[in-house]
Amino acid sequence: MNVGYAISLAGGVLIIIGSLLGMFGMFYFGWVGGWGMMGGNHMMGGWYAWPWWSSGMRIFIIFPIIGLISGILVTIGAVKLRSSADVSTWGTIIIVFSVISFIGGGGFFLGAILGLIGGILSITLKS
């Protein structure tokens, strides 16, 4: 098994999971991130106090979306590493989108780092 493939695939999956969790957090908890006074999503917290979608903060949903797209492209690049002869191109794509994924959190940052390592290994080893 190609080491660059395995590491890049793990990084891409982590980036996707981290981005989906970021989107879930924005939608479910609201931008405030509070649960309200009595422990629920009511009174002065979460959805009702200052929902992110009715404020200028809704533009920040773009960050997990960029992370999700980057994670998908890192995962596609990792799969193409295994089946394609053009390892340098796919390794470069993995590196570029791993760096871009830092905008969306980079899959707990570990996913982006794994993607970088996997892309570099695939270019240098060319196996």
Side-chain angles (χ1 to χ4, degrees):
M1 177 184 282
N2 187 350
V3 177
Y5 158 76
I7 294 174
S8 299
L9 186 65
V13 169
L14 277 175
I15 294 168
I16 291 171
I17 290 171
S19 299
L20 290 175
L21 286 176
M23 280 190 254
F24 171 75
M26 283 185 170
F27 284 121
Y28 189 73
F29 296 115
W31 193 255
V32 178
W35 277 94
M37 283 176 42
M38 305 307 248
N41 215 1
H42 54 279
M43 294 290 288
M44 296 183 178
W47 293 101
Y48 302 109
W50 182 47
W52 66 272
W53 64 85
S54 66
S55 68
M57 302 304 268
R58 68 177 163 254
I59 190 69
F60 290 107
I61 190 67
I62 195 76
F63 296 132
I65 290 172
I66 290 171
L68 181 65
I69 293 168
S70 297
I72 290 169
L73 290 171
V74 168
T75 305
I76 289 171
V79 170
K80 291 291 187 176
L81 274 178
R82 188 143 190 203
S83 62
S84 176
D86 197 10
V87 176
S88 297
T89 303
W90 289 109
T92 305
I93 289 172
I94 290 170
I95 291 170
V96 167
F97 284 104
S98 293
V99 169
I100 291 173
S101 75
F102 276 114
I103 294 172
F108 315 107
F109 292 105
L110 179 63
I113 291 169
L114 286 175
L116 284 171
I117 292 170
I120 291 169
L121 283 175
S122 66
I123 289 174
T124 56
L125 297 179
K126 293 191 187 231
S127 57

